[in-house]
Amino acid sequence: MIAIPAIDLREGACVQLVGGSYAAERVRVDDPLEALKQWRAHGFSAFHVVDLDAALGKGSNADAIFRLTAYERGLTFTVGGGVRDSDRVEAVLSGGAACAVVGTRAIEDGAWLADVASRYPGRVVVAADVKGREVVTRGWTEGSRRDIRDVLAAFEPLPLGGLLVTAVHKEGQLSGVDLPLMREVASTSRHRLYASGGVTTLEDLRALAAAGAYGAVIGMALYTGRLDASAVAREFAG
């Protein structure tokens, strides 16, 4: 399993939110490139970038994303946030991302997801953001009334690059991961699982690895120093 630092973008800065609430910003790094350089210095080579403004339709951090993906050859980026049409998927991939992460429209429009996945096989990751067991959309602000198991079943035939499952109820709270949820996803889906939400300790990472996760996205615990970045990189940087 690989550990993947999160670089969440808001108003041009790198931020960390508590519980997915835009009113509960706990960490802010004015220049996202400085965050990338920090994690790179510890040995990380894969990064998860999210445009929070685009996810809520409040703007775009496209310039900041390009600066990140263009920084150094050989790094791997998954990029998401407001990726809701085919042109945006193409732009993200041509801009240097290994995979484009699609959420809201992928959940709401299965025909579109099937089309874009077939056009870019292995390069589209679906974000399934979960509160309890319900998949939520539009920057975690709306419920879909769909259980995670039902959503996963619809994805099985598609040539996806993976599933990014975020336990929103754990996000940013430094209270540990939703291990039963991640075990269920890993055991029922053939796609790579990128687990997110609540990673706090090395034991959390080891448990996710044992559960079958391909990658773990880490945010708050790294930015606050709760997790020793060097120790994580030594064991899980890939």
Side-chain angles (χ1 to χ4, degrees):
M1 189 187 76
I2 57 172
I4 307 168
I7 302 178
D8 296 346
L9 302 174
R10 182 184 192 185
E11 300 165 344
C14 171
V15 303
Q16 286 291 294
L17 307 179
V18 178
S21 170
Y22 285 73
E25 180 182 301
R26 182 170 173 186
V27 174
R28 176 173 284 248
V29 180
D30 289 335
D31 184 355
L33 198 57
E34 292 305 311
L36 174 65
K37 291 177 181 178
Q38 176 183 355
W39 305 134
R40 186 73 190 103
H42 285 287
F44 295 99
S45 59
F47 303 90
H48 178 58
V49 180
V50 179
D51 189 334
L52 296 174
D53 294 320
L56 281 185
K58 293 185 174 181
S60 170
N61 291 279
D63 290 345
I65 293 172
F66 182 76
R67 289 176 63 224
L68 293 168
T69 58
Y71 173 66
E72 179 186 339
R73 293 187 65 178
L75 302 183
T76 300
F77 293 90
T78 52
V79 176
V83 182
R84 294 173 186 155
D85 61 60
S86 301
D87 288 344
R88 183 66 184 140
V89 172
E90 182 178 359
V92 165
L93 296 176
S94 63
C99 290
V101 182
V102 296
T104 295
R105 189 168 180 190
I107 303 299
E108 297 176 349
D109 188 345
W112 174 78
L113 175 61
D115 176 67
V116 77
S118 67
R119 280 202 269 167
Y120 305 101
R123 298 192 70 191
V124 174
V125 171
V126 174
D129 300 332
V130 184
K131 281 186 178 179
R133 292 191 57 86
E134 183 186 22
V135 175
V136 295
T137 59
R138 302 188 184 279
W140 305 346
T141 63
E142 295 185 14
S144 69
R145 299 183 181 179
R146 297 176 66 189
D147 184 89
I148 180 63
R149 183 178 288 271
D150 296 332
V151 171
L152 292 176
F155 298 152
E156 279 303 285
L158 303 179
L160 300 176
L163 303 172
L164 172 64
V165 178
T166 298
V168 176
H169 48 285
K170 293 286 191 176
E171 183 71 16
Q173 300 187 48
L174 299 176
S175 61
V177 298
D178 187 337
L179 199 56
L181 170 65
M182 300 307 173
R183 283 179 176 145
E184 179 179 350
V185 175
S187 64
T188 58
S189 175
R190 67 182 180 88
H191 298 300
R192 288 177 171 177
L193 167 62
Y194 295 87
S196 177
V199 173
T200 308
T201 65
L202 279 169
E203 286 70 29
D204 288 333
L205 291 169
R206 292 167 185 149
L208 289 172
Y214 173 82
V217 178
I218 315 173
M220 190 72 78
L222 283 179
Y223 284 91
T224 60
R226 181 73 173 268
L227 263 175
D228 183 319
S230 293
V232 173
R234 280 195 300 271
E235 192 167 344
F236 294 106

